[in-house]
Coordinates of all heavy atoms in Angstrom, one line a residue:
Chain I
L156 N -5.9 11.8 -40.2 CA -4.7 12.5 -40.1 C -5.0 14.0 -40.0 O -4.3 14.7 -39.3 CB -3.8 12.2 -41.3 CG -3.2 10.8 -41.2 CD1 -2.4 10.4 -42.5 CD2 -2.2 10.7 -40.0
Chain L
L90 N 12.2 18.2 -48.0 CA 11.3 18.1 -46.8 C 10.9 16.7 -46.5 O 10.9 16.2 -45.4 CB 10.1 19.0 -46.9 CG 10.3 20.5 -46.8 CD1 9.0 21.2 -47.1 CD2 10.9 20.9 -45.5
L91 N 10.5 16.1 -47.6 CA 10.0 14.7 -47.5 C 11.2 13.7 -47.2 O 11.0 12.8 -46.4 CB 9.3 14.3 -48.7 CG 8.1 15.2 -49.0 CD1 7.4 14.8 -50.3 CD2 7.1 15.1 -47.9
A94 N 11.7 14.3 -43.5 CA 10.7 13.7 -42.6 C 10.8 12.2 -42.6 O 10.8 11.5 -41.6 CB 9.3 14.1 -43.2
D95 N 11.1 11.6 -43.8 CA 11.2 10.2 -43.9 C 12.4 9.7 -43.1 O 12.2 8.7 -42.3 CB 11.4 9.8 -45.4 CG 11.4 8.3 -45.5 OD1 10.4 7.6 -45.2 OD2 12.5 7.8 -46.0
I98 N 11.6 10.1 -39.3 CA 10.6 9.1 -38.8 C 11.2 7.7 -38.7 O 11.0 7.0 -37.8 CB 9.4 9.1 -39.8 CG1 8.6 10.4 -39.5 CG2 8.5 7.9 -39.5 CD1 7.5 10.7 -40.5
F161 N 6.1 21.4 -38.9 CA 6.8 20.3 -39.5 C 7.4 19.4 -38.5 O 7.3 18.1 -38.5 CB 7.8 20.8 -40.5 CG 8.6 19.7 -41.1 CD1 8.1 18.9 -42.2 CD2 9.9 19.3 -40.7 CE1 8.9 17.9 -42.8 CE2 10.7 18.3 -41.2 CZ 10.1 17.6 -42.3
M164 N 4.9 17.4 -36.7 CA 4.4 16.2 -37.4 C 5.4 15.0 -37.4 O 5.0 13.9 -37.4 CB 4.1 16.6 -38.9 CG 3.0 17.6 -39.0 SD 2.7 18.1 -40.7 CE 2.1 16.6 -41.5
V165 N 6.6 15.4 -37.3 CA 7.6 14.3 -37.3 C 7.7 13.7 -36.0 O 8.0 12.5 -35.9 CB 9.0 14.9 -37.7 CG1 10.1 14.0 -37.4 CG2 9.0 15.3 -39.2
H191 N 2.4 5.6 -45.0 CA 1.1 6.2 -45.0 C 1.2 7.7 -44.5 O 0.6 8.6 -45.1 CB 0.2 5.4 -44.0 CG -1.2 6.0 -43.8 ND1 -2.1 6.3 -44.9 CD2 -1.9 6.4 -42.7 CE1 -3.2 6.8 -44.4 NE2 -3.1 6.8 -43.1
Y192 N 1.9 7.8 -43.4 CA 2.0 9.1 -42.8 C 2.8 10.1 -43.7 O 2.5 11.3 -43.8 CB 2.8 9.0 -41.5 CG 2.6 10.1 -40.5 CD1 1.4 10.5 -40.1 CD2 3.8 10.8 -40.1 CE1 1.3 11.6 -39.2 CE2 3.7 11.9 -39.2 CZ 2.4 12.3 -38.8 OH 2.3 13.3 -37.9
L193 N 3.8 9.5 -44.4 CA 4.5 10.4 -45.3 C 3.7 10.9 -46.5 O 3.9 12.1 -46.9 CB 5.7 9.7 -45.9 CG 7.0 10.2 -45.3 CD1 7.8 9.1 -44.6 CD2 7.8 11.0 -46.3
R194 N 2.8 10.1 -46.9 CA 1.9 10.6 -48.0 C 1.1 11.8 -47.5 O 0.9 12.8 -48.2 CB 0.8 9.5 -48.3 CG 1.4 8.3 -49.0 CD 2.1 8.6 -50.2 NE 1.3 9.3 -51.2 CZ 0.9 8.8 -52.4 NH1 1.3 7.6 -52.7 NH2 0.2 9.6 -53.2
Y195 N 0.7 11.8 -46.2 CA 0.0 12.9 -45.7 C 0.9 14.1 -45.6 O 0.4 15.2 -45.9 CB -0.6 12.5 -44.3 CG -1.3 13.7 -43.7 CD1 -2.5 14.1 -44.3 CD2 -0.8 14.4 -42.6 CE1 -3.2 15.2 -43.8 CE2 -1.5 15.4 -42.1 CZ -2.7 15.8 -42.7 OH -3.4 16.9 -42.2
I196 N 2.1 13.9 -45.1 CA 3.0 15.1 -45.1 C 3.2 15.7 -46.4 O 3.3 16.9 -46.6 CB 4.4 14.7 -44.4 CG1 4.1 14.2 -43.0 CG2 5.3 15.8 -44.5 CD1 5.4 13.8 -42.2
E197 N 3.3 14.8 -47.4 CA 3.4 15.3 -48.8 C 2.2 16.1 -49.2 O 2.4 17.3 -49.7 CB 3.6 14.1 -49.7 CG 4.0 14.5 -51.1 CD 4.1 13.3 -52.0 OE1 3.7 12.2 -51.6 OE2 4.6 13.4 -53.2
H198 N 1.0 15.6 -48.9 CA -0.2 16.4 -49.1 C -0.1 17.8 -48.5 O -0.3 18.8 -49.2 CB -1.4 15.7 -48.4 CG -2.3 14.9 -49.4 ND1 -2.9 15.5 -50.4 CD2 -2.6 13.6 -49.3 CE1 -3.6 14.6 -51.0 NE2 -3.5 13.4 -50.4
W199 N 0.3 17.7 -47.3 CA 0.4 18.9 -46.5 C 1.3 19.9 -47.1 O 1.0 21.1 -47.3 CB 0.8 18.6 -45.1 CG 1.2 19.7 -44.2 CD1 0.4 20.5 -43.5 CD2 2.6 20.2 -44.0 NE1 1.1 21.5 -42.8 CE2 2.5 21.3 -43.1 CE3 3.8 19.8 -44.5 CZ2 3.6 22.0 -42.7 CZ3 4.9 20.5 -44.0 CH2 4.8 21.6 -43.1
A200 N 2.5 19.4 -47.5 CA 3.5 20.3 -48.1 C 3.0 20.8 -49.5 O 3.1 22.0 -49.8 CB 4.8 19.5 -48.3
N201 N 2.4 20.0 -50.2 CA 2.0 20.4 -51.6 C 0.9 21.5 -51.4 O 1.0 22.5 -52.2 CB 1.3 19.2 -52.3 CG 2.4 18.2 -52.7 OD1 3.6 18.6 -52.8 ND2 2.0 17.0 -53.0

Side-chain angles (χ1 to χ4, degrees):
Chain I
L156 288 170
Chain L
L90 289 176
L91 300 178
D95 185 59
I98 288 173
F161 177 79
M164 291 176 73
V165 166
H191 179 55
Y192 196 61
L193 250 125
R194 296 302 303 248
Y195 179 67
I196 297 184
E197 193 182 6
H198 257 303
W199 169 83
N201 289 343

